[in-house]
Amino acid sequence: EDPSSETPMRPNQTFKHLTDLGFRPFRRTTVIWAKRMAASFEVHTPQGPQWGQAGDYWCVGLHNQQWVSPAAEFERTYTPL
């Protein structure tokens, strides 16, 4: 099955794994998964590593792309489902 057809209402193994790790779904224009991090962290992206500070969000898109979003920007832009 095509993973891009999955939604938070039809979780696949990746979504279950993200939920188990404390990630929650959020919506901007599409659904993403995100977790507010308690400590500084590093996310590996195709463009190279990104670093987040405590309180920033680790974001995961539907195609498993990952990025860091500063807390103020994330909370202004995304709505929890």
Side-chain angles (χ1 to χ4, degrees), residues 25-32 34 57 59 67-81:
F26 288 82
R27 179 183 313 274
R28 184 174 179 179
T29 55
T30 62
V31 175
I32 67 160
Y57 285 81
C59 303
W67 66 96
V68 174
S69 183
E73 177 184 330
F74 182 89
E75 291 163 359
R76 184 176 61 251
T77 308
Y78 292 93
T79 303
L81 298 180

PDB file of all heavy atoms in Angstrom, residues 25-32 34 57 59 67-81:
ATOM      1  N   PRO A  25      -0.043  14.033  15.794  1.00  0.00           N
ATOM      2  CA  PRO A  25      -0.314  14.624  14.483  1.00  0.00           C
ATOM      3  C   PRO A  25      -0.730  16.088  14.616  1.00  0.00           C
ATOM      4  O   PRO A  25      -1.374  16.472  15.586  1.00  0.00           O
ATOM      5  CB  PRO A  25      -1.470  13.775  13.935  1.00  0.00           C
ATOM      6  CG  PRO A  25      -2.175  13.295  15.155  1.00  0.00           C
ATOM      7  CD  PRO A  25      -1.104  13.115  16.215  1.00  0.00           C
ATOM      8  N   PHE A  26      -0.310  16.897  13.653  1.00  0.00           N
ATOM      9  CA  PHE A  26      -0.678  18.307  13.565  1.00  0.00           C
ATOM     10  C   PHE A  26      -1.015  18.617  12.124  1.00  0.00           C
ATOM     11  O   PHE A  26      -0.572  17.924  11.218  1.00  0.00           O
ATOM     12  CB  PHE A  26       0.488  19.208  14.006  1.00  0.00           C
ATOM     13  CG  PHE A  26       0.748  19.167  15.481  1.00  0.00           C
ATOM     14  CD1 PHE A  26       1.497  18.158  16.048  1.00  0.00           C
ATOM     15  CD2 PHE A  26       0.241  20.155  16.307  1.00  0.00           C
ATOM     16  CE1 PHE A  26       1.747  18.117  17.415  1.00  0.00           C
ATOM     17  CE2 PHE A  26       0.479  20.130  17.679  1.00  0.00           C
ATOM     18  CZ  PHE A  26       1.233  19.111  18.229  1.00  0.00           C
ATOM     19  N   ARG A  27      -1.780  19.687  11.892  1.00  0.00           N
ATOM     20  CA  ARG A  27      -2.146  20.073  10.540  1.00  0.00           C
ATOM     21  C   ARG A  27      -1.661  21.486  10.258  1.00  0.00           C
ATOM     22  O   ARG A  27      -1.800  22.372  11.065  1.00  0.00           O
ATOM     23  CB  ARG A  27      -3.657  20.027  10.353  1.00  0.00           C
ATOM     24  CG  ARG A  27      -4.102  20.450   8.956  1.00  0.00           C
ATOM     25  CD  ARG A  27      -5.611  20.478   8.791  1.00  0.00           C
ATOM     26  NE  ARG A  27      -6.274  19.301   9.287  1.00  0.00           N
ATOM     27  CZ  ARG A  27      -6.466  18.177   8.591  1.00  0.00           C
ATOM     28  NH1 ARG A  27      -6.019  18.073   7.369  1.00  0.00           N
ATOM     29  NH2 ARG A  27      -7.105  17.163   9.127  1.00  0.00           N
ATOM     30  N   ARG A  28      -1.107  21.668   9.088  1.00  0.00           N
ATOM     31  CA  ARG A  28      -0.822  22.985   8.524  1.00  0.00           C
ATOM     32  C   ARG A  28      -1.681  23.037   7.272  1.00  0.00           C
ATOM     33  O   ARG A  28      -2.856  23.340   7.354  1.00  0.00           O
ATOM     34  CB  ARG A  28       0.662  23.125   8.217  1.00  0.00           C
ATOM     35  CG  ARG A  28       1.039  24.490   7.727  1.00  0.00           C
ATOM     36  CD  ARG A  28       2.538  24.612   7.569  1.00  0.00           C
ATOM     37  NE  ARG A  28       2.904  25.916   7.069  1.00  0.00           N
ATOM     38  CZ  ARG A  28       4.129  26.298   6.862  1.00  0.00           C
ATOM     39  NH1 ARG A  28       5.112  25.454   7.125  1.00  0.00           N
ATOM     40  NH2 ARG A  28       4.390  27.481   6.404  1.00  0.00           N
ATOM     41  N   THR A  29      -1.118  22.750   6.127  1.00  0.00           N
ATOM     42  CA  THR A  29      -1.940  22.547   4.934  1.00  0.00           C
ATOM     43  C   THR A  29      -2.127  21.054   4.698  1.00  0.00           C
ATOM     44  O   THR A  29      -3.065  20.655   4.034  1.00  0.00           O
ATOM     45  CB  THR A  29      -1.305  23.216   3.691  1.00  0.00           C
ATOM     46  OG1 THR A  29       0.017  22.712   3.542  1.00  0.00           O
ATOM     47  CG2 THR A  29      -1.273  24.718   3.863  1.00  0.00           C
ATOM     48  N   THR A  30      -1.209  20.273   5.210  1.00  0.00           N
ATOM     49  CA  THR A  30      -1.324  18.820   5.204  1.00  0.00           C
ATOM     50  C   THR A  30      -1.027  18.341   6.619  1.00  0.00           C
ATOM     51  O   THR A  30      -0.554  19.103   7.456  1.00  0.00           O
ATOM     52  CB  THR A  30      -0.324  18.164   4.230  1.00  0.00           C
ATOM     53  OG1 THR A  30       0.998  18.487   4.658  1.00  0.00           O
ATOM     54  CG2 THR A  30      -0.539  18.625   2.810  1.00  0.00           C
ATOM     55  N   VAL A  31      -1.267  17.095   6.874  1.00  0.00           N
ATOM     56  CA  VAL A  31      -1.001  16.538   8.199  1.00  0.00           C
ATOM     57  C   VAL A  31       0.473  16.193   8.309  1.00  0.00           C
ATOM     58  O   VAL A  31       1.064  15.632   7.389  1.00  0.00           O
ATOM     59  CB  VAL A  31      -1.859  15.287   8.444  1.00  0.00           C
ATOM     60  CG1 VAL A  31      -1.498  14.627   9.764  1.00  0.00           C
ATOM     61  CG2 VAL A  31      -3.326  15.653   8.406  1.00  0.00           C
ATOM     62  N   ILE A  32       1.065  16.559   9.431  1.00  0.00           N
ATOM     63  CA  ILE A  32       2.417  16.137   9.778  1.00  0.00           C
ATOM     64  C   ILE A  32       2.354  15.537  11.176  1.00  0.00           C
ATOM     65  O   ILE A  32       1.337  15.620  11.851  1.00  0.00           O
ATOM     66  CB  ILE A  32       3.428  17.311   9.759  1.00  0.00           C
ATOM     67  CG1 ILE A  32       3.109  18.306  10.883  1.00  0.00           C
ATOM     68  CG2 ILE A  32       3.460  17.988   8.394  1.00  0.00           C
ATOM     69  CD1 ILE A  32       4.262  19.199  11.245  1.00  0.00           C
ATOM     70  N   ALA A  34       4.546  15.623  14.884  1.00  0.00           N
ATOM     71  CA  ALA A  34       5.536  16.456  15.554  1.00  0.00           C
ATOM     72  C   ALA A  34       5.591  16.135  17.037  1.00  0.00           C
ATOM     73  O   ALA A  34       4.621  15.656  17.621  1.00  0.00           O
ATOM     74  CB  ALA A  34       5.209  17.936  15.350  1.00  0.00           C
ATOM     75  N   TYR A  57      10.206  21.846  17.997  1.00  0.00           N
ATOM     76  CA  TYR A  57       9.483  20.659  17.540  1.00  0.00           C
ATOM     77  C   TYR A  57      10.283  19.874  16.511  1.00  0.00           C
ATOM     78  O   TYR A  57      10.883  20.461  15.606  1.00  0.00           O
ATOM     79  CB  TYR A  57       8.142  21.060  16.915  1.00  0.00           C
ATOM     80  CG  TYR A  57       7.120  21.464  17.941  1.00  0.00           C
ATOM     81  CD1 TYR A  57       7.121  22.739  18.493  1.00  0.00           C
ATOM     82  CD2 TYR A  57       6.155  20.559  18.368  1.00  0.00           C
ATOM     83  CE1 TYR A  57       6.177  23.109  19.443  1.00  0.00           C
ATOM     84  CE2 TYR A  57       5.208  20.924  19.314  1.00  0.00           C
ATOM     85  CZ  TYR A  57       5.233  22.197  19.849  1.00  0.00           C
ATOM     86  OH  TYR A  57       4.305  22.560  20.783  1.00  0.00           O
ATOM     87  N   CYS A  59       9.688  17.558  13.545  1.00  0.00           N
ATOM     88  CA  CYS A  59       8.562  17.333  12.632  1.00  0.00           C
ATOM     89  C   CYS A  59       8.886  16.211  11.652  1.00  0.00           C
ATOM     90  O   CYS A  59      10.022  16.094  11.183  1.00  0.00           O
ATOM     91  CB  CYS A  59       8.265  18.608  11.844  1.00  0.00           C
ATOM     92  SG  CYS A  59       7.904  20.029  12.900  1.00  0.00           S
ATOM     93  N   TRP A  67      12.327  17.627   9.873  1.00  0.00           N
ATOM     94  CA  TRP A  67      12.890  18.964  10.026  1.00  0.00           C
ATOM     95  C   TRP A  67      12.632  19.463  11.444  1.00  0.00           C
ATOM     96  O   TRP A  67      11.836  18.913  12.181  1.00  0.00           O
ATOM     97  CB  TRP A  67      12.315  19.928   8.997  1.00  0.00           C
ATOM     98  CG  TRP A  67      10.854  20.231   9.142  1.00  0.00           C
ATOM     99  CD1 TRP A  67      10.296  21.299   9.789  1.00  0.00           C
ATOM    100  CD2 TRP A  67       9.762  19.474   8.633  1.00  0.00           C
ATOM    101  NE1 TRP A  67       8.930  21.250   9.721  1.00  0.00           N
ATOM    102  CE2 TRP A  67       8.569  20.123   9.007  1.00  0.00           C
ATOM    103  CE3 TRP A  67       9.648  18.297   7.897  1.00  0.00           C
ATOM    104  CZ2 TRP A  67       7.305  19.654   8.673  1.00  0.00           C
ATOM    105  CZ3 TRP A  67       8.386  17.824   7.574  1.00  0.00           C
ATOM    106  CH2 TRP A  67       7.243  18.504   7.944  1.00  0.00           C
ATOM    107  N   VAL A  68      13.315  20.541  11.790  1.00  0.00           N
ATOM    108  CA  VAL A  68      13.160  21.204  13.081  1.00  0.00           C
ATOM    109  C   VAL A  68      12.318  22.455  12.870  1.00  0.00           C
ATOM    110  O   VAL A  68      12.517  23.188  11.902  1.00  0.00           O
ATOM    111  CB  VAL A  68      14.542  21.597  13.657  1.00  0.00           C
ATOM    112  CG1 VAL A  68      14.384  22.422  14.920  1.00  0.00           C
ATOM    113  CG2 VAL A  68      15.387  20.359  13.905  1.00  0.00           C
ATOM    114  N   SER A  69      11.386  22.697  13.780  1.00  0.00           N
ATOM    115  CA  SER A  69      10.589  23.919  13.732  1.00  0.00           C
ATOM    116  C   SER A  69      10.696  24.611  15.083  1.00  0.00           C
ATOM    117  O   SER A  69      10.374  24.008  16.115  1.00  0.00           O
ATOM    118  CB  SER A  69       9.123  23.612  13.419  1.00  0.00           C
ATOM    119  OG  SER A  69       8.383  24.807  13.317  1.00  0.00           O
ATOM    120  N   PRO A  70      11.134  25.876  15.106  1.00  0.00           N
ATOM    121  CA  PRO A  70      11.160  26.613  16.374  1.00  0.00           C
ATOM    122  C   PRO A  70       9.756  26.667  16.970  1.00  0.00           C
ATOM    123  O   PRO A  70       8.756  26.770  16.254  1.00  0.00           O
ATOM    124  CB  PRO A  70      11.643  28.006  15.971  1.00  0.00           C
ATOM    125  CG  PRO A  70      12.383  27.793  14.684  1.00  0.00           C
ATOM    126  CD  PRO A  70      11.663  26.668  13.994  1.00  0.00           C
ATOM    127  N   ALA A  71       9.656  26.605  18.286  1.00  0.00           N
ATOM    128  CA  ALA A  71       8.371  26.504  18.974  1.00  0.00           C
ATOM    129  C   ALA A  71       7.402  27.614  18.578  1.00  0.00           C
ATOM    130  O   ALA A  71       6.242  27.337  18.261  1.00  0.00           O
ATOM    131  CB  ALA A  71       8.592  26.491  20.487  1.00  0.00           C
ATOM    132  N   ALA A  72       7.835  28.862  18.580  1.00  0.00           N
ATOM    133  CA  ALA A  72       6.918  29.976  18.287  1.00  0.00           C
ATOM    134  C   ALA A  72       6.357  29.866  16.874  1.00  0.00           C
ATOM    135  O   ALA A  72       5.153  30.059  16.655  1.00  0.00           O
ATOM    136  CB  ALA A  72       7.625  31.313  18.481  1.00  0.00           C
ATOM    137  N   GLU A  73       7.209  29.524  15.910  1.00  0.00           N
ATOM    138  CA  GLU A  73       6.761  29.363  14.521  1.00  0.00           C
ATOM    139  C   GLU A  73       5.793  28.192  14.396  1.00  0.00           C
ATOM    140  O   GLU A  73       4.749  28.287  13.758  1.00  0.00           O
ATOM    141  CB  GLU A  73       7.961  29.160  13.605  1.00  0.00           C
ATOM    142  CG  GLU A  73       7.592  28.918  12.164  1.00  0.00           C
ATOM    143  CD  GLU A  73       8.807  28.624  11.303  1.00  0.00           C
ATOM    144  OE1 GLU A  73       9.905  29.120  11.610  1.00  0.00           O
ATOM    145  OE2 GLU A  73       8.644  27.878  10.322  1.00  0.00           O
ATOM    146  N   PHE A  74       6.153  27.071  15.025  1.00  0.00           N
ATOM    147  CA  PHE A  74       5.307  25.876  14.949  1.00  0.00           C
ATOM    148  C   PHE A  74       3.926  26.161  15.530  1.00  0.00           C
ATOM    149  O   PHE A  74       2.904  25.858  14.918  1.00  0.00           O
ATOM    150  CB  PHE A  74       5.970  24.716  15.701  1.00  0.00           C
ATOM    151  CG  PHE A  74       5.184  23.447  15.620  1.00  0.00           C
ATOM    152  CD1 PHE A  74       5.389  22.555  14.585  1.00  0.00           C
ATOM    153  CD2 PHE A  74       4.217  23.150  16.566  1.00  0.00           C
ATOM    154  CE1 PHE A  74       4.646  21.383  14.495  1.00  0.00           C
ATOM    155  CE2 PHE A  74       3.469  21.992  16.492  1.00  0.00           C
ATOM    156  CZ  PHE A  74       3.686  21.109  15.446  1.00  0.00           C
ATOM    157  N   GLU A  75       3.882  26.746  16.716  1.00  0.00           N
ATOM    158  CA  GLU A  75       2.607  26.969  17.401  1.00  0.00           C
ATOM    159  C   GLU A  75       1.749  28.018  16.703  1.00  0.00           C
ATOM    160  O   GLU A  75       0.532  27.998  16.808  1.00  0.00           O
ATOM    161  CB  GLU A  75       2.878  27.319  18.859  1.00  0.00           C
ATOM    162  CG  GLU A  75       3.419  26.103  19.606  1.00  0.00           C
ATOM    163  CD  GLU A  75       4.078  26.430  20.917  1.00  0.00           C
ATOM    164  OE1 GLU A  75       4.169  27.610  21.307  1.00  0.00           O
ATOM    165  OE2 GLU A  75       4.526  25.461  21.588  1.00  0.00           O
ATOM    166  N   ARG A  76       2.376  28.921  15.951  1.00  0.00           N
ATOM    167  CA  ARG A  76       1.638  29.915  15.174  1.00  0.00           C
ATOM    168  C   ARG A  76       1.076  29.297  13.890  1.00  0.00           C
ATOM    169  O   ARG A  76       0.058  29.734  13.367  1.00  0.00           O
ATOM    170  CB  ARG A  76       2.580  31.081  14.833  1.00  0.00           C
ATOM    171  CG  ARG A  76       1.946  32.234  14.111  1.00  0.00           C
ATOM    172  CD  ARG A  76       2.904  33.403  13.869  1.00  0.00           C
ATOM    173  NE  ARG A  76       4.045  33.020  13.041  1.00  0.00           N
ATOM    174  CZ  ARG A  76       5.301  32.890  13.474  1.00  0.00           C
ATOM    175  NH1 ARG A  76       5.605  33.129  14.735  1.00  0.00           N
ATOM    176  NH2 ARG A  76       6.266  32.545  12.654  1.00  0.00           N
ATOM    177  N   THR A  77       1.726  28.248  13.379  1.00  0.00           N
ATOM    178  CA  THR A  77       1.426  27.699  12.066  1.00  0.00           C
ATOM    179  C   THR A  77       0.567  26.443  12.093  1.00  0.00           C
ATOM    180  O   THR A  77      -0.252  26.248  11.199  1.00  0.00           O
ATOM    181  CB  THR A  77       2.751  27.393  11.335  1.00  0.00           C
ATOM    182  OG1 THR A  77       3.567  28.554  11.355  1.00  0.00           O
ATOM    183  CG2 THR A  77       2.521  26.982   9.912  1.00  0.00           C
ATOM    184  N   TYR A  78       0.756  25.584  13.082  1.00  0.00           N
ATOM    185  CA  TYR A  78       0.099  24.271  13.097  1.00  0.00           C
ATOM    186  C   TYR A  78      -1.011  24.200  14.130  1.00  0.00           C
ATOM    187  O   TYR A  78      -0.941  24.860  15.179  1.00  0.00           O
ATOM    188  CB  TYR A  78       1.115  23.160  13.369  1.00  0.00           C
ATOM    189  CG  TYR A  78       2.089  22.957  12.240  1.00  0.00           C
ATOM    190  CD1 TYR A  78       3.310  23.597  12.228  1.00  0.00           C
ATOM    191  CD2 TYR A  78       1.765  22.129  11.171  1.00  0.00           C
ATOM    192  CE1 TYR A  78       4.202  23.421  11.172  1.00  0.00           C
ATOM    193  CE2 TYR A  78       2.657  21.931  10.125  1.00  0.00           C
ATOM    194  CZ  TYR A  78       3.870  22.586  10.142  1.00  0.00           C
ATOM    195  OH  TYR A  78       4.744  22.401   9.107  1.00  0.00           O
ATOM    196  N   THR A  79      -2.011  23.377  13.863  1.00  0.00           N
ATOM    197  CA  THR A  79      -3.140  23.140  14.759  1.00  0.00           C
ATOM    198  C   THR A  79      -3.173  21.655  15.103  1.00  0.00           C
ATOM    199  O   THR A  79      -3.178  20.822  14.194  1.00  0.00           O
ATOM    200  CB  THR A  79      -4.460  23.515  14.054  1.00  0.00           C
ATOM    201  OG1 THR A  79      -4.374  24.869  13.638  1.00  0.00           O
ATOM    202  CG2 THR A  79      -5.640  23.312  14.972  1.00  0.00           C
ATOM    203  N   PRO A  80      -3.211  21.294  16.393  1.00  0.00           N
ATOM    204  CA  PRO A  80      -3.287  19.861  16.726  1.00  0.00           C
ATOM    205  C   PRO A  80      -4.607  19.248  16.266  1.00  0.00           C
ATOM    206  O   PRO A  80      -5.634  19.923  16.253  1.00  0.00           O
ATOM    207  CB  PRO A  80      -3.169  19.826  18.243  1.00  0.00           C
ATOM    208  CG  PRO A  80      -3.275  21.215  18.732  1.00  0.00           C
ATOM    209  CD  PRO A  80      -3.179  22.144  17.565  1.00  0.00           C
ATOM    210  N   LEU A  81      -4.550  17.993  15.884  1.00  0.00           N
ATOM    211  CA  LEU A  81      -5.774  17.280  15.489  1.00  0.00           C
ATOM    212  C   LEU A  81      -6.401  16.598  16.691  1.00  0.00           C
ATOM    213  O   LEU A  81      -5.776  16.299  17.635  1.00  0.00           O
ATOM    214  CB  LEU A  81      -5.451  16.233  14.415  1.00  0.00           C
ATOM    215  CG  LEU A  81      -4.898  16.788  13.114  1.00  0.00           C
ATOM    216  CD1 LEU A  81      -4.628  15.657  12.152  1.00  0.00           C
ATOM    217  CD2 LEU A  81      -5.856  17.790  12.510  1.00  0.00           C
TER     218      LEU A  81
END
